Amino acid sequence: MASNIVAITASFGLSKSEADFLRYFLQSGKKEDSAAKAGYGNPAVVAYSLLRLPHVAEALQYELGRLLRVEDAPRARRILLDLMDDKKAGARIQFDAAKTVLGLAGYVPPSKSSADEAPEKQLTEMSQEELR
């Protein structure tokens, strides 16, 4: 993660202290502790202020998105696949894991209302009243 912090420091114009704060915050999720580790005095006030600076907030948002895509999503997928194959987990958990994987892949079951409806008529089969 440190090498990416260097890259986003340049991209977002962060100072060294701001970059250090972000690095610690991304590791721990603790605002005040991160500000203190980054060397700021009065960490509670500074952490609050830092997270409201547009360039710091943008850098944080960018790096969180990258971490979710590159680290967290593949790990979550592996966990779901392991649950799907784990006979000890039970059928309900396997089903829920499979359903989640399919939903994330874009496969969703048809809604009941669309399944119950009669098939649509072709335009050439419709009356003038239906076309209005």
Side-chain angles (χ1 to χ4, degrees), residues 6 12 23 41 49-50 53-54 63 73 78-79 81 96 99 104 109 111-113 121 127-128 130:
V6 171
F12 291 94
R23 185 180 66 228
S49 299
L50 282 173
L53 293 173
E63 185 60 8
R78 282 191 309 275
I79 290 169
L81 294 175
D96 285 342
K99 189 172 158 185
L104 292 171
S111 66
K112 288 186 181 184
S113 63
K121 290 183 182 179
S127 68
Q128 286 183 350
E130 290 174 312

Side-chain angles (χ1 to χ4, degrees), residues 12-68:
F12 291 94
L14 301 175
S15 69
K16 181 185 179 328
S17 298
E18 291 168 340
D20 288 343
F21 168 76
L22 276 185
R23 185 180 66 228
Y24 296 130
F25 184 60
L26 286 164
Q27 290 170 350
S28 71
K30 298 177 181 176
K31 298 180 284 193
E32 289 182 38
D33 291 349
S34 301
K37 282 184 178 180
Y40 287 103
N42 200 355
V45 172
V46 171
Y48 179 86
S49 299
L50 282 173
L51 291 172
R52 278 148 187 77
L53 293 173
H55 67 290
V56 174
E58 288 174 17
L60 177 61
Q61 189 70 26
Y62 172 84
E63 185 60 8
L64 282 173
R66 188 194 71 78
L67 289 170
L68 283 167

Side-chain angles (χ1 to χ4, degrees), residues 99 102-103 106-117:
K99 189 172 158 185
L102 289 172
Y107 296 100
V108 291
S111 66
K112 288 186 181 184
S113 63
S114 65
D116 294 339
E117 292 177 9

